[in-house]
Amino acid sequence: MKILHTSDWHVGKVLKGQSRAEEHKNVLAGVIDIARQERPDLVVIAGDLYDTAAPTAEATRLVTRALTALRRTGADVVAIGGNHDNGPALDALRPWAEAAGITLRGAVREDPAEHVIDGTTAGGERWQLAALPFLSQRYAIRAVEMYELTAAETTQTYADHLGRILARLTEGFTEPDRVHLVTAHLTVVGAATGGGERDAHTVMGYAVPATVFPGTAHYVALGHLHRAQRVQGPCPIRYSGAPLAVDFGEQENVPSVTVVEVSATTAAQVREVPVTAATALHTVRGTLAQLAGITAPEGWLRVYVREQPRAGLREEVQELFPRALEIRIDPELVPAPGSGTRVAQRSGRSPRQLFADYLDSRGHADDGVRDLFDELLEEVEH
């Protein structure tokens, strides 16, 4: 059978105030085109369909249309909830999804049978998929355990719970004439982050060892980390990565989907298919004079300015680079906290004095900024 594995669409993403709705339309159209060309038997979307738990009507319409179009290629379609998704809200769409021939699993249900999906390809290959949506640590570990356990014990307990859940969902992975698959939205120890993930859900407390997956699985389709990569483990384990770079931290990633060919008796053959429809993200840096001599690359820009802050600097850079979404003083020029700078004592000092101390500590010598602060302060006080 052939599988198209994708994840982390993050539809509804806004980058530094810039809507990416049009990019997402083009990216998902690209994913659908790949599905039409590859003719997979199964499409797996491993979580984070949306960027927020309260998606707009436009984002919901785009996701449901994309799922419908993928189903119309003739493939079975299975999507699970990620940490950015509202699991119960996805489950509320299940009547629509089932009528359309799409399988949605937004949140973890009490009945494990809800998460075990069976199918047969047009060619007669039988498959079974264990589908595990994102499971928050606070739900996996009871409150009383969290109060009684140390941080290290809580991390281990979370991994143990995930391991037990997956063992229960995959206990039927014993038939020799069936393809056994897993999809989940989680962090595996040793995998590399893509740069734009939500830190709270990628820290070690949420990481599980690859040994939670059974050696009897033919392929494990993961979501959550945005960089396409293979993970070492007892079976083929892979993150498909995001089909577009969701933030400047991911500008070096190659957006793609993963195509897998496997049978009950042959090992998974995996290849990446690039998705190139999104606008590229770039970072440029230099002094104002250096930046003036740069030909801006195509795409959205992050600009690191190698000059001391001053009033009007942002506007000058914006004039050079109209597509700059983020303009910052180069982090290499910003003094580290406590690097010989005087720490302001709050007691008995006026707002003007405190602000002056702050500017001094940041190497900001422009008197115009102090004058602007004085004007604002006077307006507030009067």
Side-chain angles (χ1 to χ4, degrees):
M1 67 181 295
K2 184 182 283 190
I3 304 158
L4 190 153
H5 167 203
T6 180
S7 71
D8 297 278
W9 291 356
H10 287 273
V11 174
K13 173 69 178 178
V14 175
L15 179 60
K16 312 300 180 183
Q18 173 65 43
S19 170
R20 306 190 75 187
E22 197 61 35
E23 289 180 71
H24 265 116
K25 290 177 186 177
N26 295 334
V27 164
L28 294 184
V31 173
I32 294 162
D33 284 342
I34 292 170
R36 287 174 178 151
Q37 294 165 15
E38 295 286 347
R39 307 296 297 178
D41 300 290
L42 173 65
V43 174
V44 177
I45 304 102
D48 280 356
L49 286 80
Y50 298 104
D51 190 61
T52 171
T56 63
E58 179 185 26
T60 302
R61 184 164 50 250
L62 181 53
V63 166
T64 53
R65 286 179 176 176
L67 294 174
T68 301
L70 288 169
R71 175 63 180 138
R72 286 176 178 165
T73 66
D76 287 307
V77 177
V78 178
I80 62 173
N83 58 296
H84 282 251
D85 297 316
N86 184 326
L90 279 182
D91 283 330
L93 290 174
R94 282 177 59 170
W96 161 80
E98 288 166 6
I102 298 163
T103 302
L104 282 182
R105 294 295 181 264
V108 178
R109 299 288 189 94
E110 292 183 6
D111 182 2
E114 288 268 343
H115 299 282
V116 180
I117 301 148
D118 293 287
T120 304
T121 70
E125 188 81 59
R126 296 169 59 237
W127 55 269
Q128 185 173 86
L129 172 67
L132 180 63
F134 176 75
L135 184 61
S136 174
Q137 194 182 72
R138 68 177 181 273
Y139 292 116
I141 303 174
R142 293 178 304 169
V144 64
E145 291 178 300
M146 295 187 77
Y147 287 137
E148 293 177 354
L149 300 177
T150 66
E153 290 170 334
T154 299
T155 297
Q156 185 59 52
T157 301
Y158 178 76
D160 290 343
H161 286 352
L162 263 291
R164 281 193 290 271
I165 290 170
L166 284 164
R168 179 66 184 277
L169 299 184
T170 61
E171 61 187 9
F173 282 17
T174 56
E175 295 189 26
D177 59 346
R178 185 173 64 191
V179 176
H180 302 129
L181 307 166
V182 177
T183 184
H185 193 86
L186 46 74
T187 303
V188 176
V189 174
T193 60
E197 301 88 350
R198 181 175 291 171
D199 290 341
H201 291 149
T202 54
V203 294
M204 287 307 295
Y206 276 89
V208 300
T211 52
V212 297
F213 302 111
T216 50
H218 289 82
Y219 182 74
V220 176
L222 296 182
H224 191 32
L225 302 186
H226 296 175
R227 180 177 299 169
Q229 61 191 293
R230 177 173 177 264
V231 179
Q232 293 291 337
C235 56
I237 305 169
R238 186 171 179 83
Y239 287 96
S240 67
L244 84 169
V246 300
D247 207 340
F248 286 104
E250 300 181 9
Q251 64 185 28
E252 302 302 326
N253 294 354
V254 179
S256 64
V257 298
T258 298
V259 174
V260 184
E261 295 184 66
V262 64
S263 76
T265 57
T266 59
Q269 301 296 314
V270 177
R271 54 191 168 88
E272 293 180 21
V273 181
V275 180
T276 59
T279 302
L281 305 182
H282 301 284
T283 298
V284 296
R285 63 204 317 154
T287 64
L288 198 60
Q290 290 169 335
L291 293 172
I294 294 175
T295 299
E298 291 293 326
W300 302 120
L301 302 181
R302 174 175 62 180
V303 182
Y304 285 152
V305 189
R306 298 189 62 82
E307 296 199 9
Q308 294 301 321
R310 58 179 172 77
L313 180 59
R314 177 183 178 83
E315 288 73 14
E316 292 178 54
V317 175
Q318 194 78 60
E319 187 173 345
L320 291 173
F321 301 109
R323 290 178 66 83
L325 299 183
E326 180 179 353
I327 300 171
R328 298 173 53 193
I329 299 301
D330 194 320
E332 295 177 3
L333 296 184
V334 177
S339 58
T341 59
R342 183 165 60 91
V343 178
Q345 299 297 318
R346 296 178 62 87
S347 178
R349 299 178 66 79
S350 71
R352 288 182 177 84
Q353 291 171 319
L354 291 172
F355 187 65
D357 283 342
Y358 169 77
L359 293 178
D360 290 342
S361 72
R362 309 300 285 185
H364 198 310
D366 186 3
D367 289 337
V369 174
R370 300 170 196 252
D371 293 340
L372 285 172
F373 179 81
D374 288 344
E375 290 179 21
L376 289 170
L377 184 62
E378 188 173 347
E379 284 187 25
V380 171
E381 290 178 339
H382 296 86

Short mmCIF file of all heavy atoms in Angstrom, two decimals, residues 317-338:
data_model
loop_
_atom_site.label_atom_id
_atom_site.label_comp_id
_atom_site.label_asym_id
_atom_site.label_seq_id
_atom_site.Cartn_x
_atom_site.Cartn_y
_atom_site.Cartn_z
N VAL A 317 14.65 51.18 7.99
CA VAL A 317 14.83 49.80 7.52
C VAL A 317 13.60 49.35 6.74
O VAL A 317 13.71 48.69 5.70
CB VAL A 317 15.08 48.86 8.72
CG1 VAL A 317 15.14 47.40 8.25
CG2 VAL A 317 16.37 49.23 9.44
N GLN A 318 12.41 49.71 7.23
CA GLN A 318 11.18 49.33 6.55
C GLN A 318 11.12 49.91 5.14
O GLN A 318 10.60 49.28 4.21
CB GLN A 318 9.97 49.80 7.35
CG GLN A 318 8.64 49.17 6.92
CD GLN A 318 8.47 47.76 7.44
OE1 GLN A 318 8.47 47.54 8.64
NE2 GLN A 318 8.32 46.80 6.53
N GLU A 319 11.69 51.11 4.98
CA GLU A 319 11.72 51.73 3.66
C GLU A 319 12.61 50.95 2.71
O GLU A 319 12.33 50.80 1.52
CB GLU A 319 12.20 53.18 3.77
CG GLU A 319 12.10 53.96 2.47
CD GLU A 319 12.43 55.43 2.66
OE1 GLU A 319 12.45 55.90 3.83
OE2 GLU A 319 12.68 56.11 1.64
N LEU A 320 13.72 50.39 3.26
CA LEU A 320 14.62 49.58 2.44
C LEU A 320 14.00 48.23 2.09
O LEU A 320 14.17 47.71 0.98
CB LEU A 320 15.94 49.35 3.18
CG LEU A 320 16.86 50.54 3.38
CD1 LEU A 320 18.02 50.16 4.29
CD2 LEU A 320 17.38 51.05 2.04
N PHE A 321 13.25 47.67 3.07
CA PHE A 321 12.70 46.32 2.91
C PHE A 321 11.20 46.33 3.26
O PHE A 321 10.82 46.04 4.39
CB PHE A 321 13.42 45.32 3.82
CG PHE A 321 14.90 45.23 3.57
CD1 PHE A 321 15.81 45.74 4.48
CD2 PHE A 321 15.38 44.62 2.42
CE1 PHE A 321 17.17 45.66 4.27
CE2 PHE A 321 16.75 44.54 2.19
CZ PHE A 321 17.64 45.05 3.11
N PRO A 322 10.37 46.68 2.29
CA PRO A 322 8.92 46.75 2.56
C PRO A 322 8.32 45.42 3.02
O PRO A 322 7.29 45.41 3.68
CB PRO A 322 8.34 47.18 1.21
CG PRO A 322 9.47 47.85 0.49
CD PRO A 322 10.70 47.12 0.92
N ARG A 323 8.97 44.28 2.69
CA ARG A 323 8.44 42.97 3.08
C ARG A 323 9.06 42.46 4.37
O ARG A 323 8.95 41.27 4.69
CB ARG A 323 8.64 41.96 1.95
CG ARG A 323 7.73 42.24 0.75
CD ARG A 323 7.97 41.27 -0.38
NE ARG A 323 7.60 39.90 -0.05
CZ ARG A 323 6.37 39.41 -0.13
NH1 ARG A 323 5.37 40.20 -0.51
NH2 ARG A 323 6.12 38.15 0.15
N ALA A 324 9.69 43.35 5.12
CA ALA A 324 10.24 42.95 6.42
C ALA A 324 9.11 42.87 7.45
O ALA A 324 8.43 43.86 7.71
CB ALA A 324 11.29 43.95 6.87
N LEU A 325 8.92 41.68 8.01
CA LEU A 325 7.89 41.49 9.03
C LEU A 325 8.44 41.66 10.44
O LEU A 325 7.68 41.91 11.37
CB LEU A 325 7.27 40.09 8.89
CG LEU A 325 6.58 39.77 7.57
CD1 LEU A 325 5.98 38.38 7.63
CD2 LEU A 325 5.51 40.80 7.25
N GLU A 326 9.73 41.53 10.58
CA GLU A 326 10.36 41.65 11.91
C GLU A 326 11.66 42.42 11.75
O GLU A 326 12.51 42.06 10.93
CB GLU A 326 10.62 40.27 12.50
CG GLU A 326 11.26 40.30 13.88
CD GLU A 326 11.50 38.91 14.46
OE1 GLU A 326 11.03 37.93 13.84
OE2 GLU A 326 12.15 38.81 15.51
N ILE A 327 11.81 43.50 12.52
CA ILE A 327 13.02 44.31 12.50
C ILE A 327 13.52 44.44 13.93
O ILE A 327 12.79 44.92 14.81
CB ILE A 327 12.76 45.71 11.89
CG1 ILE A 327 12.25 45.58 10.44
CG2 ILE A 327 14.01 46.56 11.95
CD1 ILE A 327 11.75 46.88 9.86
N ARG A 328 14.73 43.98 14.16
CA ARG A 328 15.28 43.98 15.53
C ARG A 328 16.73 44.40 15.50
O ARG A 328 17.42 44.23 14.49
CB ARG A 328 15.18 42.58 16.15
CG ARG A 328 13.78 42.04 16.30
CD ARG A 328 13.81 40.60 16.76
NE ARG A 328 14.62 40.43 17.97
CZ ARG A 328 15.01 39.24 18.43
NH1 ARG A 328 14.72 38.14 17.78
NH2 ARG A 328 15.71 39.17 19.54
N ILE A 329 17.17 44.94 16.63
CA ILE A 329 18.60 45.15 16.80
C ILE A 329 19.25 43.77 16.87
O ILE A 329 18.72 42.85 17.51
CB ILE A 329 18.89 45.94 18.09
CG1 ILE A 329 18.22 47.32 18.03
CG2 ILE A 329 20.39 46.09 18.30
CD1 ILE A 329 18.65 48.18 16.85
N ASP A 330 20.35 43.59 16.17
CA ASP A 330 21.02 42.30 16.14
C ASP A 330 21.26 41.82 17.57
O ASP A 330 21.86 42.54 18.38
CB ASP A 330 22.36 42.42 15.41
CG ASP A 330 22.96 41.08 15.04
OD1 ASP A 330 22.87 40.15 15.86
OD2 ASP A 330 23.49 40.95 13.93
N PRO A 331 20.78 40.61 17.92
CA PRO A 331 20.96 40.11 19.29
C PRO A 331 22.41 40.10 19.75
O PRO A 331 22.69 40.21 20.95
CB PRO A 331 20.40 38.67 19.21
CG PRO A 331 19.44 38.70 18.06
CD PRO A 331 20.03 39.68 17.07
N GLU A 332 23.34 40.00 18.81
CA GLU A 332 24.77 40.01 19.19
C GLU A 332 25.21 41.35 19.75
O GLU A 332 26.23 41.43 20.43
CB GLU A 332 25.63 39.64 17.98
CG GLU A 332 25.40 38.22 17.48
CD GLU A 332 26.22 37.92 16.24
OE1 GLU A 332 27.00 38.81 15.83
OE2 GLU A 332 26.09 36.80 15.71
N LEU A 333 24.46 42.42 19.47
CA LEU A 333 24.81 43.75 19.96
C LEU A 333 24.15 44.09 21.28
O LEU A 333 24.50 45.08 21.91
CB LEU A 333 24.41 44.82 18.93
CG LEU A 333 25.11 44.78 17.58
CD1 LEU A 333 24.67 45.97 16.73
CD2 LEU A 333 26.63 44.81 17.75
N VAL A 334 23.15 43.30 21.67
CA VAL A 334 22.41 43.60 22.90
C VAL A 334 23.20 43.08 24.09
O VAL A 334 23.53 41.90 24.15
CB VAL A 334 21.01 42.96 22.87
CG1 VAL A 334 20.28 43.22 24.18
CG2 VAL A 334 20.21 43.49 21.69
N PRO A 335 23.54 43.94 25.06
CA PRO A 335 24.31 43.48 26.23
C PRO A 335 23.57 42.40 26.98
O PRO A 335 22.34 42.43 27.11
CB PRO A 335 24.44 44.75 27.09
CG PRO A 335 24.16 45.89 26.16
CD PRO A 335 23.20 45.37 25.15
N ALA A 336 24.31 41.40 27.43
CA ALA A 336 23.71 40.35 28.24
C ALA A 336 23.34 40.91 29.60
O ALA A 336 24.00 41.82 30.12
CB ALA A 336 24.69 39.19 28.39
N PRO A 337 22.27 40.38 30.23
CA PRO A 337 21.88 40.85 31.55
C PRO A 337 23.04 40.72 32.54
O PRO A 337 23.71 39.69 32.60
CB PRO A 337 20.73 39.90 31.93
CG PRO A 337 20.19 39.42 30.61
CD PRO A 337 21.37 39.34 29.70
N GLY A 338 23.29 41.80 33.26
CA GLY A 338 24.34 41.76 34.28
C GLY A 338 25.74 41.92 33.74
O GLY A 338 26.71 41.70 34.46
#
